[in-house]
Structure formats: structure tokens, C-alpha cells
């Protein structure tokens, strides 16, 4: 398996390779055509590669992209234990500076060849440069970037990093001390506290702090949409960033590598957690604070917006003693909140519940929650394997990302455990084909699957200012609204805007979902290896309300708008 790129792949252009990567990502359920089109537009405008844009925008995961590279090039993904244990390979020929720049780590070498783990296996320069430097033929594996960075940090200590040579240490230390002093001054502390307090009080979900050449931009995310806020002066960018890093106990002297941390502070007497992420950009460090305010989150199915039929079906599946219950949807569609709600309903003295998450969003009383740490080998798969020895009744796996995790989850379900997890697919039926692509046999799917829910979040209309009007005839015809309600005339509500909703017309979000139950007809189609379209048709014929229909029902009820439903669920209604 540890071979260099296959000759056919080497002969096609980078554009053709990227097109093939896009097809593979769609086949594996990591993204859809709309996502690829968006990434292609951004790539064209920013003169970047499409795969790099997908990663930067968070449209695909690092693991998902690595799996796609692996499939395209027919080479394996490097496992965490595959990196050198203590001593770097060919340290006399390949410097730490070069390896960090090209994002590769040598795994092994003999007299004629060297095996590399590469975060960007499509870069032809890397292989050529290594071959020239070592005089050996380069062979390739695909690296997951976060695991490769961890290996670089372990094998090549801080002293070997670019910019940290002995003659530069003093200026860096002085600069860090200056920033620490500046960040500790009262005006900067008040400024950062004001940014955070305003976000919590207005119920924002995220704070984005982005430095540009001529200004510092601050944006808050409300109901999934970013809104620009009044920003501090540009010259305070480094001080604001340093203050947040001090609060999150991050290294303020490290400005070349991404860092992640957590802040816990009281805002108006309420304890609020913040997940902090910093990433170096062209004009400084971009900082994002994810607000984890337990008091603003509702762990109640009905208040989440789910229909009574979906709540009933999900509740029935969760009461079963064993099997797998899945919640699917894109990033930010509320999957984890739905699973947390289910876990809290199951939480009892008579049940042991364990979760494996990356990251842990909220702390749940009475439930054992474990954080994935891939850098030290604590992956979903390894943790799940260990958890089974603890004899739990219910297990939640934050995400089934690979075949190994899927297989262990199936074995856990077969041995009497109830397993809850998520998948990144566009529909409930697509989860069946996604698991099949991961290597789960059809007979195992029918044996363990108890139910699959797909969901999206739509913005709720503000109850204080929404306006109801008769639906235009073209909309009635286009969506068949006359078949969905007996009310005449058919009324639809629209966003207006007021002080209560910050003039957006929307306040809060609701989940709309479909729930696929496995019955004899669905199981027969799975055995026949039917695709997700046929499975979905059969599920609808046996009573499943499609997610789009659930969204139209919410629009007819005045909860949201048809525009919001079509934006969230499909691109060409």
C-alpha cells in the first residue's frame, strides 16, 4: 500500500485532480454540489486551490479531505502511531524549517527510498524537493494536518522552528512581554469584556475578530448569519487578540500556529463558556469565540421546533435497549443539540451513559463525557473501543468519521448497547449509503439501525413584527400549498424587522427534520443495495414526511418563510 502516486494520477493536471477530489467528497457525503460551487468561486477570486478553500471555510473536515486524497491517489492515510516515536528520520538532510514549510514528515527511510506523510499530497514540489535533498525516491502517504502538526511539534522542538533561532529569541520574548503588558491595561480589558458582554446579551452564537490591513472587523453571528458590529481601532488588534489569548490560557508569543482554548467567565451573573480558536492570517491572527451559554440553549424537542410525529418516532427509537440511532445534516444544523436532548431524556440512575465528543459543547450533569485528542492517539475509534470495556448502557459518538469507528459502533450495537451518533449527509436515506461506503455490510445495517433523522435549522420569524399576507398564486402552484392546508385564502408570513430582532425580521431558529424508520420494505431495499433515492421513495411511501415538506408546514404555520426553507434545504426548489 505504501507506494508513490499511481502513474495515471501523475499524468493528469492539478485541475483534473481537484475535480476528481470534489467528486469523491460528494460520493463520501462530505459536501454537496452547492458547496463545491461556492468553494470554486472563492478559489477563483482568491487565486487559491479549491481543496484549500474547502478546508479554510470549514466546508469539509481535515479527515474527510485526507480520505479523499487517499482514495484519489490509492495511498493510505497515516495513522497517529505511524509517525516516528522519538527520533526524526533523516534529520541530517531534511531541516525542520523545510518540513514545516512543506507540511511533510518523513516516516521511514532505507538506502533507496523515503516514506513521507504529506498534508498536501497534490503538491509536486514536495516530492521533487525531498528526492533532491535526500538522493532517495520519495513514497507518499496522506497526513491529517492536525496530526502532522502534532508530530512536527514533538519531533522538532520549539527551538527548531522558523523565527526562533537563538539570535531572535530575545526580541520575540520582549515583544511577547510588551503585548502582555498592553493586554493587561484597563482600557483593553474593558474593551474585550464589552465585546463579549454585548455578544452574550444579544444572544449571538459566535464572535469573529478579523484583522485587515486598514481595519479590525468584529462580527457577531445571530441565527446562523453574520452581522458586523462596531469594531475597536486597528492599532489595538494585537492587544485585543493577546487579551483573549491570556483569558484562554494560550501562548501569546506563538503567532504562527493555530491555537485552541476555552474561557469561563461570568456575564451579568451567569456563567458562560467560550471556545476560542486563533488562526494566523495575512494581517494578524483571526480569533473566533464560540459562545456556549447553557442558559440560552433549550434541550427540549418541542421548543427546538421538531414536529410531534418526529418527536414520537425519535423517542421510540431511543427507548430501545440496543441499536444505532443517527442524526444527520451539515455542520451547524443542530445535530449535537438534538442528541444532547435525547441523552438528557435517557439520563437516569439505572443507566450508564458515556459520550465521545470533539469538542465537548456543553457539560451534561450525570453523563460521562470524553474529549477526543487525536494528537495523542485518543481518536473516536480508540476511545469507543475502550469505552466498551466500561459496560455502558448508552454511548454517544460525536461523529462517525471513518470505517473503523463505524465498525466498532456496529459491534457495540450488536452486543447490547444503544449507540447515538451523527453523520454528515444531506438526507436520512443517504446515511445508509454513507455507512455502506464506509464498509458496513448490508446485513449489519439492517440488524443495528433503529432510526435515522435528518435535520436543518431555519430562522424563526420574529413574533413581534412578522406580517401575514395571502400567498401569491405562483407560490401556491409551485409548492402545491393548496394540497397542504385547508385554509382559504392560503396565508404566508414575512419578515419585517423591529428592535426586538435587530431589524432582521427573524429571532431564534427552529429545527425541521425527517425521520426514517426501518421496516421490511426498507430492509429489503438495503439488501438489494438500492441507492438513497429508492430508499427515500420507499420511506415516503410508508409514511415519512420529507424534510422539505416539514419546512413548508412550518412556513404555512407562520413560523418561518418559504425563502428560508428553500435556502436551508435545497438550492433549486
Amino acid at each position: 500500500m505504501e507506494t508513490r502516486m499511481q502513474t495515471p494520477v501523475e499524468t493528469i493536471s492539478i485541475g483534473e485532480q481537484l475535480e476528481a477530489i470534489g467528486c469523491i467528497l460528494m460520493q463520501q457525503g462530505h459536501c454537496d454540489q452547492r458547496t463545491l460551487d461556492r468553494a470554486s468561486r472563492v478559489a477563483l477570486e482568491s487565486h487559491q486551490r479549491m481543496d484549500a478553500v474547502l478546508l479554510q471555510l470549514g466546508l469539509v473536515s481535515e479527515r474527510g479531505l485526507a480520505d479523499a486524497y487517499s482514495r484519489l491517489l490509492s495511498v493510505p492515510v497515516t495513522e497517529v502511531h505511524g509517525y516516528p516515536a522519538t527520533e526524526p528520520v533523516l534529520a541530517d538532510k531534511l531541516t525542520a524549517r523545510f518540513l514545516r514549510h512543506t507540511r511533510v514528515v518523513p516516516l521511514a527511510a532505507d538506502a533507496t527510498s523515503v516514506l513521507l506523510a504529506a498534508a498536501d499530497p497534490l503538491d509536486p514540489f514536495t516530492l521533487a524537493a525531498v528526492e533532491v535533498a535526500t538522493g532517495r525516491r520519495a513514497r507518499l502517504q496522506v497526513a491529517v494536518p492536525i496530526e502532522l502538526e502534532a508530530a512536527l511539534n514533538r519531533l522538532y522542538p520549539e527551538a527548531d522552528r522558523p523565527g526562533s533561532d537563538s539570535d531572535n529569541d530575545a526580541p520575540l520574548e520582549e515583544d511577547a512581554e510588551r503585548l502582555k503588558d498592553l493586554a493587561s491595561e484597563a482600557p483593553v480589558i474593558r474593551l474585550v469584556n464589552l465585546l463579549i458582554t454585548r455578544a452574550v446579551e444579544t444572544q449571538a452564537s459566535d464572535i469573529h475578530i478579523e484583522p485587515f490591513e486598514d481595519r479590525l472587523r468584529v462580527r457577531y453571528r445571530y441565527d446562523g448569519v453574520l452581522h458586523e458590529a462596531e469594531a475597536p481601532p486597528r492599532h489595538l488588534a494585537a492587544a485585543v487578540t493577546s487579551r483573549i489569548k491570556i483569558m484562554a490560557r494560550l501562548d501569546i508569543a506563538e503567532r504562527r500556529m493555530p491555537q485552541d482554548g476555552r474561557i469561563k467567565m461570568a456575564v451579568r451573573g451567569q456563567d458562560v463558556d467560550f471556545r476560542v480558536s486563533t488562526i494566523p492570517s495575512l494581517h494578524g491572527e483571526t480569533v473566533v469565540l464560540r459562545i456556549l451559554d447553557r442558559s440560552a440553549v433549550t434541550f427540549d424537542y418541542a421548543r427546538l421546533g421538531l414536529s410531534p410525529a418526529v418527536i414520537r418516532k425519535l423517542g421510540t427509537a431511543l427507548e430501545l435497549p440496543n441499536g444505532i440511532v443517527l442524526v444527520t445534516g451539515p455542520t451547524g444544523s443542530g445535530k449535537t443539540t438534538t442528541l444532547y436532548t435525547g441523552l438528557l431524556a435517557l439520563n437516569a440512575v439505572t443507566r450508564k451513559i458515556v459520550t465521545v465528543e470533539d469538542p465537548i459543547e456543553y457539560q451534561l450533569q450525570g453523563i460521562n463525557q470524553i474529549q477526543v485528542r487525536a494528537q495523542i492517539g485518543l481518536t473516536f475509534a480508540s476511545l469507543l473501543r475502550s469505552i466498551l470495556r466500561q459496560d455502558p448502557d448508552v454511548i454517544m459518538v460525536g461523529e462517525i468519521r471513518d470505517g473503523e469507528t463505524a465498525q466498532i459502533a456496529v459491534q457495540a450495537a450488536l452486543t447490547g448497547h444503544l449507540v447515538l451518533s451523527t453523520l454528515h449527509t444531506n438526507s436520512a436515506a443517504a446515511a445508509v449509503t454513507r455507512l455502506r461506503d464506509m464498509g458496513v455490510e448490508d446485513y449489519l445495517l439492517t440488524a443495528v439501525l433503529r432510526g435515522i433523522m435528518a435535520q436543518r435549522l431555519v430562522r424563526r420569524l420574529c413574533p413581534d413584527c412578522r406580517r401575514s399576507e395571502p400567498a401569491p398564486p405562483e407560490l401556491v402552484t409551485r409548492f402545491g400549498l393548496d394540497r397542504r392546508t385547508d385554509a382559504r385564502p392560503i396565508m404566508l408570513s414575512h419578515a419585517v424587522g423591529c428592535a426586538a430582532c435587530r431589524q432582521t425580521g427573524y429571532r431564534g431558529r427552529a429545527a425541521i427534520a425527517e425521520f426514517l424508520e426501518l421496516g421490511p420494505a426498507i430492509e429489503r431495499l438495503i439488501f438489494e443495495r438500492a441507492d438513497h433515492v429508492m430508499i427515500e421513495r420507499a420511506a415516503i411511501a410508508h409514511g415519512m414526511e420529507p424534510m422539505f415538506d416539514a419546512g413548508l408546514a412550518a412556513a404555512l404555520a407562520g413560523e418561518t418563510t418559504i425563502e428560508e426553507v428553500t435556502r436551508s434545504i435545497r438550492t433549486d426548489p
Side-chain angles (χ1 to χ4, degrees):
M1 293 179 66
E2 297 173 354
T3 58
R4 191 179 171 184
M5 297 182 192
Q6 304 293 316
T7 302
V9 176
E10 290 179 339
T11 59
I12 66 176
S13 68
I14 185 65
E16 292 170 316
Q17 288 179 335
L18 293 176
E19 185 176 348
I21 284 291
C23 292
I24 292 171
L25 288 170
M26 284 200 298
Q27 291 168 6
Q28 294 179 335
H30 293 296
C31 64
D32 53 21
Q33 187 61 54
R34 183 182 181 184
T35 300
L36 291 179
D37 292 342
R38 175 187 173 192
S40 297
R41 288 194 300 271
V42 174
L44 191 63
E45 294 168 0
S46 59
H47 305 290
Q48 299 182 77
R49 277 178 21 195
M50 184 266 292
D51 52 347
V53 170
L54 283 168
L55 206 56
Q56 290 171 8
L57 296 181
L59 301 176
V60 298
S61 65
E62 291 184 344
R63 172 66 65 173
L65 188 58
D67 289 340
Y69 287 145
S70 172
R71 182 169 168 184
L72 173 70
L73 304 176
S74 298
V75 297
V77 176
T78 305
E79 299 295 335
V80 173
H81 55 74
Y83 291 95
T86 53
E87 297 296 325
V89 175
L90 297 177
D92 58 328
K93 297 183 179 296
L94 299 173
T95 66
R97 185 186 298 269
F98 169 82
L99 296 177
R100 290 186 186 278
H101 177 71
T102 56
R103 296 196 302 159
V104 298
V105 169
L107 303 178
D110 56 28
T112 60
S113 66
V114 55
L115 178 63
L116 302 173
D120 182 8
L122 301 186
D123 181 8
F125 164 78
T126 301
L127 289 180
V130 170
E131 289 181 343
V132 170
T134 64
R136 294 168 169 85
R137 182 173 63 89
R139 298 181 291 128
L140 191 66
Q141 286 189 2
V142 179
V144 177
I146 191 171
E147 296 172 358
L148 182 135
E149 294 291 349
L152 282 170
N153 293 340
R154 176 170 51 81
L155 295 168
Y156 303 90
E158 185 73 22
D160 293 333
R161 291 193 183 186
S164 59
D165 298 306
S166 58
D167 56 343
N168 292 331
D169 283 345
L172 275 179
E173 290 177 3
E174 291 172 6
D175 191 30
E177 287 302 317
R178 182 183 63 81
L179 278 175
K180 185 179 292 186
D181 291 341
L182 185 59
S184 300
E185 293 180 358
V188 174
I189 293 174
R190 284 198 300 269
L191 178 59
V192 171
N193 287 346
L194 178 63
L195 290 174
I196 292 174
T197 301
R198 185 179 298 163
V200 174
E201 289 180 341
T202 56
Q203 296 186 330
S205 61
D206 305 85
I207 308 171
H208 293 248
I209 302 172
E210 304 155 315
F212 293 95
E213 184 176 12
D214 57 343
R215 66 187 181 116
L216 179 65
R217 184 167 70 176
V218 175
R219 293 187 290 175
Y220 296 150
R221 189 182 295 278
Y222 299 105
D223 303 327
V225 179
L226 285 169
H227 297 265
E228 191 156 357
E230 184 178 350
R234 174 65 181 88
H235 70 273
L236 290 179
V240 169
T241 300
S242 297
R243 174 61 190 166
I244 294 172
K245 290 170 76 173
I246 290 171
M247 295 170 70
R249 299 184 180 181
L250 301 179
D251 182 1
I252 67 169
E254 178 53 81
R255 280 159 279 168
R256 301 174 300 271
M257 299 287 292
Q259 295 188 68
D260 294 292
R262 217 173 172 100
I263 297 172
K264 185 171 185 177
M265 63 180 291
V267 179
R268 297 290 188 262
Q270 179 69 42
D271 284 338
V272 181
D273 286 340
F274 301 84
R275 199 170 73 231
V276 180
S277 171
T278 69
I279 294 180
S281 64
L282 182 61
H283 299 291
E285 289 179 280
T286 297
V287 182
V288 175
L289 291 86
R290 177 77 185 275
I291 302 171
L292 305 174
D293 185 0
R294 174 66 184 268
S295 65
V297 177
T298 303
F299 295 114
D300 177 81
Y301 291 132
R303 293 184 64 185
L304 289 175
L306 296 175
S307 68
V310 169
I311 294 172
R312 186 183 67 255
K313 292 176 181 179
L314 178 60
T316 300
L318 293 179
E319 286 298 328
L320 295 172
N322 55 60
I324 296 178
V325 179
L326 295 174
V327 181
T328 77
T331 300
S333 59
K335 300 186 298 296
T336 301
T337 302
T338 297
L339 287 181
Y340 277 173
T341 305
L343 287 178
L344 289 173
L346 293 172
N347 194 15
V349 176
T350 55
R351 289 192 183 99
K352 176 163 183 173
I353 302 176
V354 182
T355 74
V356 183
E357 304 173 62
D358 185 22
I360 295 173
E361 295 279 357
Y362 296 95
Q363 297 179 23
L364 305 178
Q365 190 69 31
I367 292 175
N368 302 283
Q369 296 174 269
I370 304 173
Q371 169 71 51
V372 166
R373 299 189 187 279
Q375 301 94 324
I376 59 173
L378 291 179
T379 62
F380 278 111
S382 63
L383 283 169
L384 184 53
R385 191 180 291 109
S386 299
I387 283 170
L388 292 177
R389 304 188 192 108
Q390 297 247 325
D391 190 30
D393 298 291
V394 180
I395 304 168
M396 188 194 98
V397 183
E399 181 187 348
I400 296 179
R401 296 178 178 175
D402 51 53
E404 184 182 7
T405 306
Q407 293 289 352
I408 301 171
V410 167
Q411 292 301 318
L414 288 172
T415 53
H417 303 84
L418 180 64
V419 180
L420 283 59
S421 191
T422 70
L423 277 177
H424 287 287
T425 62
N426 291 325
S427 67
V432 174
T433 53
R434 177 78 179 103
L435 290 172
R436 185 186 289 154
D437 291 341
M438 287 182 176
V440 181
E441 297 292 340
D442 295 328
Y443 71 92
L444 291 175
L445 289 175
T446 59
V448 300
L449 281 179
R450 300 293 180 259
I452 306 169
M453 190 173 97
Q455 73 176 53
R456 298 289 190 279
L457 292 179
V458 295
R459 290 184 292 171
R460 277 190 167 113
L461 284 166
C462 175
D464 294 340
C465 65
R466 64 185 174 187
R467 184 176 66 242
S468 183
E469 296 176 348
E474 57 270 21
L475 275 184
V476 173
T477 302
R478 186 178 188 183
F479 296 109
L481 299 182
D482 52 343
R483 301 191 307 271
R484 302 176 188 276
T485 179
D486 295 328
R488 295 294 184 273
I490 298 173
M491 305 295 288
L492 292 175
S493 295
H494 301 277
V496 178
C498 65
C501 61
R502 302 173 302 279
Q503 305 301 325
T504 64
Y506 296 95
R507 196 166 71 194
R509 288 191 289 177
I512 52 178
E514 62 188 20
F515 194 92
L516 189 153
E517 295 178 289
L518 271 76
I522 303 295
E523 292 177 356
R524 184 169 62 254
L525 286 173
I526 293 175
F527 276 120
E528 293 172 358
R529 300 190 68 78
D531 62 15
H532 66 92
V533 176
M534 295 180 64
I535 294 173
E536 184 170 295
R537 286 175 182 165
I540 293 172
H542 285 79
M544 182 182 84
E545 182 184 38
M547 190 162 33
F548 191 74
D549 289 2
L552 292 178
L556 288 169
E559 288 293 313
T560 187
T561 62
I562 286 185
E563 295 82 4
E564 184 69 11
V565 172
T566 56
R567 180 189 70 84
S568 301
I569 299 178
R570 66 186 196 187
T571 56
D572 53 346

